[in-house]
Amino acid sequence: MVITRTRIQEKNRSAILEAGLDVFSQYGFRGTTLDQIAEAAGLSKPNLLYYFPSKEAIHAELLETLLETWLDPLHALDDTGDPIREILDYVQRKLDMSRDYPRESRLFANEILQGAPRIGDNLTGELKSLVDEKAQVIRGWIAAGKVAAVDPYHLIFSIWALTQHYADFDVQVRAVLGGDDPFPGAEAYLTQVFSTLLRP
Amino acid sequence: MVITRTRIQEKNRSAILEAGLDVFSQYGFRGTTLDQIAEAAGLSKPNLLYYFPSKEAIHAELLETLLETWLDPLHALDDTGDPIREILDYVQRKLDMSRDYPRESRLFANEILQGAPRIGDNLTGELKSLVDEKAQVIRGWIAAGKVAAVDPYHLIFSIWALTQHYADFDVQVRAVLGGDDPFPGAEAYLTQVFSTLLRP
DNA sequence: GCGTGATTTGACCAAGTGGTCAAAGCTACG
DNA sequence: CGTAGCTTTGACCACTTGGTCAAATCACGC
């Protein structure tokens, strides 16, 4: 069953998702109103509901596509590559995502802050097993003496925390730095952190 | 002008603030309803509004007390102490706060995610000048060869990110770890990270 | 036990909410 | 053209929301 869409459908659906991402990522699910989304998308509320059956549906579709792109960088961690290079590359990819997709990062943060009511299963399922797998890879590297002995789970958490911080807490970071672009400095600093940490 | 309060006032005000912290920290300002807070506090809505003039007022009071306790650990960073010890102690204090006051951490995270509409001034004022001051202290330590050369601002960001992550993303962390208490592991890992990073 | 001020509440309100619907407007294609 | 089907909208609805108010209830010092 292939879904065919007219150009208008294509355009309006993506305008709605774009607007929804804007608003949901700032106010969370409950704090967002359909009127806000409709306004941001340049549509009337009934017209918006012609393309999506409910507020839930918009949010669900956003979360779904988010989860895919969110796990991709970790998937790409290659057990046959050079260990430290692989991890530093992962850090870089995650930092790039914070720079290029800050709204996605905040949408995810909002969902987790609320206790992950809509993606709890993905966390204990898909996410956990992916992390378990990659933690094993890192354990292998440690055993082979290629990487310093660190807890692989907390290593992964720290990569998430440090990179997503620049998207989720952007306002705070910029307030403290006085408005300068934080990312060049962040990249240098994170490289330094993980290089010194992981050197065997 | 001293505010005197009866025992009942004392009790109900703190019940409301407690309940407000619970709900605001999960759903953000807009996503929270007075009925939710009233229910959680065990009061009727009109009764709740007898103690606080509005939803705003509850939120404002929570944020105000939050900001105080939030900056305390950084204030305590002592330029006359042993540099690495001072920084590691700061990390420890912030991690303790994530363990003991996760709701406060999430309340703050929610406020920042929304663009800090109510505390923007504190960020560019109070917070920025405190961080500027402590960054200078760290620069001094680096110049004296007591601490490895790192960007002091990103160092501070990284401490915030790594410690608050365990409160704000608690659900995710526990989902991945399978429910074990993350804090012992976090403490060991963070000590390792900052020890290796800061060793001159 | 009584009166006064503190406390609590049921009933209410206007505005905002997610969502519906029938009718109108538009577009592509024969 | 014409028309069938896609798109848009104004009017509307039931429910929730933040907040008010007058009246009822309660606690406490005399």
Side-chain angles (χ1 to χ4, degrees), chain A residues 29-197:
Chain A
F29 182 76
R30 299 217 15 205
T32 293
T33 74
L34 282 177
D35 288 296
Q36 275 177 295
I37 301 177
E39 157 104 51
L43 298 174
S44 67
K45 187 168 58 170
N47 199 10
L48 186 153
L49 287 162
Y50 171 72
Y51 291 101
F52 287 87
S54 67
K55 182 179 163 184
E56 274 278 347
I58 304 172
H59 193 252
E61 181 146 340
L62 283 170
L63 273 186
E64 200 183 330
T65 40
L66 168 65
L67 280 172
E68 275 176 48
T69 54
W70 221 235
L71 297 185
D72 273 354
L74 186 51
H75 265 119
L77 192 91
D78 178 9
D79 61 329
T80 68
D82 174 61
I84 294 197
R85 160 62 50 86
E86 283 297 322
I87 295 173
L88 288 180
D89 280 359
Y90 177 50
V91 172
Q92 185 65 55
R93 282 193 298 273
K94 285 291 286 178
L95 187 60
D96 289 346
M97 289 188 60
S98 280
R99 194 213 302 114
D100 300 335
Y101 306 101
R103 294 174 305 170
E104 281 81 351
S105 184
R106 288 193 278 264
L107 180 69
F108 186 76
N110 251 311
E111 175 68 11
I112 301 290
L113 273 179
Q114 282 165 38
R118 297 152 214 279
I119 59 163
D121 292 349
N122 300 77
L123 298 187
T124 49
E126 214 180 336
L127 177 69
K128 178 172 168 33
S129 56
L130 176 61
V131 174
D132 283 342
E133 178 199 325
K134 298 304 181 179
Q136 271 311 110
V137 171
I138 295 169
R139 282 223 178 86
W141 287 340
I142 293 171
K146 307 273 194 185
V147 165
V150 298
D151 183 310
Y153 288 95
H154 289 278
L155 172 63
I156 290 172
F157 294 154
S158 71
I159 294 171
W160 293 346
L162 287 171
T163 54
Q164 290 171 17
H165 187 82
Y166 289 98
D168 302 344
F169 288 74
D170 182 72
V171 206
Q172 182 180 230
V173 167
R174 283 178 201 269
V176 169
L177 291 183
D180 300 352
D181 179 7
F183 283 94
E187 185 178 329
Y189 177 77
L190 293 189
T191 305
Q192 186 181 0
V193 167
F194 288 104
S195 298
T196 59
L197 175 68

Side-chain angles (χ1 to χ4, degrees), chain B residues 88-162:
Chain B
L88 288 181
D89 281 358
Y90 176 50
V91 173
Q92 186 64 56
R93 282 193 297 275
K94 286 290 286 178
L95 187 60
D96 288 346
M97 290 189 59
S98 280
R99 195 212 302 113
D100 300 335
Y101 305 102
R103 294 174 307 170
E104 280 82 349
S105 184
R106 287 193 279 264
L107 180 69
F108 186 75
N110 251 311
E111 175 68 13
I112 300 291
L113 272 179
Q114 281 166 39
R118 295 152 216 276
I119 58 163
D121 293 349
N122 299 75
L123 298 186
T124 50
E126 214 180 335
L127 176 70
K128 177 173 168 33
S129 55
L130 176 61
V131 174
D132 282 342
E133 179 199 324
K134 298 304 182 181
Q136 271 312 112
V137 171
I138 295 169
R139 283 224 178 84
W141 288 339
I142 294 171
K146 307 272 194 186
V147 165
V150 298
D151 182 311
Y153 288 95
H154 289 279
L155 171 63
I156 290 172
F157 294 153
S158 71
I159 294 172
W160 293 346
L162 288 172

Side-chain angles (χ1 to χ4, degrees), chain B residues 40-53:
Chain B
L43 299 173
S44 67
K45 188 169 57 170
N47 199 9
L48 185 152
L49 287 162
Y50 172 71
Y51 291 100
F52 286 87

